[in-house]
Amino acid sequence: MEDQEQTSFTFEIDNFSEKEAIISSPTFSRGGCEWFVHVHKGYIVDDHLSLYLHVANTESLRIGWKRRASYSFILLNQSGKDLFRVPESLCQLFCYEFSGRGKPNAVPLKELQEKGFLEKNKLIVKVEVKVVEVVDEGDVTENETFNFLNGYNVMYSQLYSANQLFVEHPNIAVNFRPKSKPLKTTYTNLLLNLIELLNKPPHSLTETDLSNAQIELIDLTEAGFELDWLKTKLADVTLERKKPNPDVSRVQELEEQNKNLNAELKKEKVKSVTPAAKVLLFEQTVSDLKDEVSDLKDEVSDLKDALNKNEEKSDTFAAKFLSLEQMVLNLRADLNKEKGVVSPW
């Protein structure tokens, strides 16, 4: 579906100097959807007026909707005369993930007053919109490319990153030398991938990653991109990677704490088990002595029968028997003491 008719919408802002940083216009219709204008006072680019065109009713449109539109912004005086026309943006894509397009550095704020754009402190903005393609539903793959800027094609998945890049660094491609669209697209995607790499945690990058990043940065700079800020970013990432990894250090610290806690736990277990083990030892000793006493009783009985034949030997074993009985009594007393029982003997 195509809609080649052009629509214009005029938005007047009274008391402009007293307004907040972001000013929204009423909505207007074109190409089966609602649109509105955002005016930014130094909010996106310092000391500049930024002008953006947005699709308003994104939630009510069908899944997969797209609009391709050409648009331009004009600043008017109160008589409706054109004072300044921002260069036209041709055939730009609007979709659910990327519903706004615009000019981050449309006009320096100081020029609004100097060049008479603010007659009686009123700013009049006119937007002309021509919707050239309307898609109400469909699927978009991550590898599909779109014309982000004139000649700069980017993948669908990189639209947001590309927009942020040109908003934060509006002059990044002013001196870019290659003119063919394929080269523009190649260099732009290389730049976006490099930025994505350097935004990863420094310790997740290898020496090879950083070496390749340095080579790519040189290639991009030689092509004309203004990338001093990215050079600083690469230097910071390289320096940060040389520092001890705080995550690894924390893991080692936790492992050491765990080791110490386990050692303390073993000590406590030994302390808590020792009294019980001691009782069991005494009980086993008593049991063994009982068996030995029983055997001695049998031996004593046999010795009594032979008393008349060997009285000296009988006396010796009898003494040994008594000694063992005394040992049993002593052990029982110790055992009861461990258990906290008062001995009946």
Side-chain angles (χ1 to χ4, degrees):
M1 176 183 173
E2 294 185 356
D3 176 8
Q4 295 289 346
E5 293 185 12
Q6 180 172 286
T7 294
S8 64
F9 173 78
T10 302
F11 174 35
E12 297 185 1
I13 307 173
D14 293 319
N15 301 316
F16 177 79
S17 62
E18 301 172 11
K19 297 295 184 182
E20 298 295 333
I22 303 176
I23 308 163
S24 298
S25 77
T27 61
F28 61 96
S29 299
R30 183 80 271 175
C33 64
E34 299 292 315
W35 304 81
F36 71 93
V37 175
H38 253 168
V39 178
H40 301 265
K41 297 168 55 181
Y43 180 75
I44 295 179
V45 178
D46 289 343
D47 302 322
H48 277 74
L49 182 75
S50 304
L51 300 171
Y52 278 80
L53 177 65
H54 289 266
V55 176
N57 55 330
T58 57
E59 298 297 335
S60 63
L61 295 172
R62 295 181 182 180
I63 296 175
W65 68 268
K66 289 188 293 184
R67 300 291 186 275
R68 289 188 184 275
S70 298
Y71 61 91
S72 62
F73 295 103
I74 305 102
L75 301 183
L76 309 176
N77 62 16
Q78 294 195 25
S79 300
K81 180 182 177 181
D82 291 6
L83 295 178
F84 179 78
R85 179 177 289 266
V86 180
E88 183 177 11
S89 296
L90 300 174
C91 200
Q92 299 295 296
L93 171 73
F94 294 81
C95 57
Y96 180 80
E97 293 82 1
F98 204 72
S99 61
R101 296 277 195 170
K103 302 292 183 180
N105 55 341
V107 185
L109 289 174
K110 65 179 182 179
E111 291 187 8
L112 294 180
Q113 191 67 52
E114 292 174 357
K115 295 187 177 182
F117 296 153
L118 292 178
E119 187 179 349
K120 296 182 180 179
N121 202 19
K122 175 186 287 190
L123 182 69
I124 304 176
V125 179
K126 178 181 179 181
V127 59
E128 294 177 344
V129 181
K130 179 187 292 185
V131 178
V132 297
E133 182 184 5
V134 176
V135 176
D136 284 328
E137 57 186 339
D139 296 324
V140 179
T141 65
E142 289 189 354
N143 293 327
E144 185 176 352
T145 59
F146 299 99
N147 182 17
F148 173 72
L149 292 173
N150 294 336
Y152 293 90
N153 285 4
V154 299
M155 290 188 293
Y156 181 83
S157 58
Q158 294 180 315
L159 280 174
Y160 180 78
S161 299
N163 181 59
Q164 290 298 106
L165 172 63
F166 282 87
V167 166
E168 294 175 5
H169 307 281
N171 298 320
I172 189 173
V174 170
N175 298 317
F176 187 70
R177 286 185 289 275
K179 301 303 179 183
S180 70
K181 289 185 178 181
L183 276 178
K184 284 184 176 182
T185 297
T186 299
Y187 276 105
T188 302
N189 287 324
L190 180 63
L191 176 57
L192 291 172
N193 290 333
L194 178 57
I195 293 171
E196 182 179 348
L197 175 72
L198 296 182
N199 282 332
K200 292 181 179 180
H203 288 93
S204 70
L205 303 178
T206 65
E207 289 290 345
T208 301
D209 290 332
L210 295 177
S211 177
N212 291 338
Q214 183 66 47
I215 294 171
E216 291 172 1
L217 184 57
I218 292 173
D219 289 342
L220 290 165
T221 302
E222 290 179 348
F225 280 118
E226 297 291 338
L227 298 175
D228 288 344
W229 57 275
L230 197 56
K231 291 179 184 178
T232 302
K233 174 73 173 179
L234 177 57
D236 291 343
V237 169
T238 302
L239 180 62
E240 189 67 25
R241 188 183 176 278
K242 293 179 181 180
K243 297 179 181 179
N245 189 340
D247 294 333
V248 173
S249 301
R250 180 57 179 161
V251 169
Q252 292 174 342
E253 180 184 345
L254 291 174
E255 287 178 344
E256 185 64 25
Q257 290 181 7
N258 186 55
K259 181 179 178 181
N260 294 337
L261 287 173
N262 282 333
E264 291 295 327
L265 182 60
K266 288 181 179 179
K267 289 181 181 179
E268 291 300 321
K269 284 183 177 180
V270 169
K271 289 179 181 179
S272 63
V273 170
T274 298
K278 199 170 181 181
V279 170
L280 289 174
L281 178 63
F282 272 97
E283 289 180 342
Q284 184 62 45
T285 303
V286 170
S287 177
D288 292 341
L289 287 173
K290 282 183 178 180
D291 292 339
E292 188 172 349
V293 169
S294 178
D295 293 339
L296 285 172
K297 282 184 177 180
D298 293 338
E299 188 176 347
V300 169
S301 178
D302 293 339
L303 287 173
K304 284 182 179 179
D305 294 339
L307 182 60
N308 293 329
K309 296 180 181 180
N310 197 342
E311 185 175 350
E312 182 179 353
K313 182 178 180 180
S314 176
D315 290 339
T316 300
F317 276 95
K320 186 175 181 181
F321 172 74
L322 292 173
S323 175
L324 286 171
E325 280 189 328
Q326 186 59 46
M327 286 177 62
V328 170
L329 291 174
N330 292 339
L331 286 171
R332 282 178 175 171
D334 288 341
L335 178 61
N336 289 331
K337 184 177 180 181
E338 288 293 327
K339 293 181 176 180
V341 179
V342 178
S343 173
W345 301 299

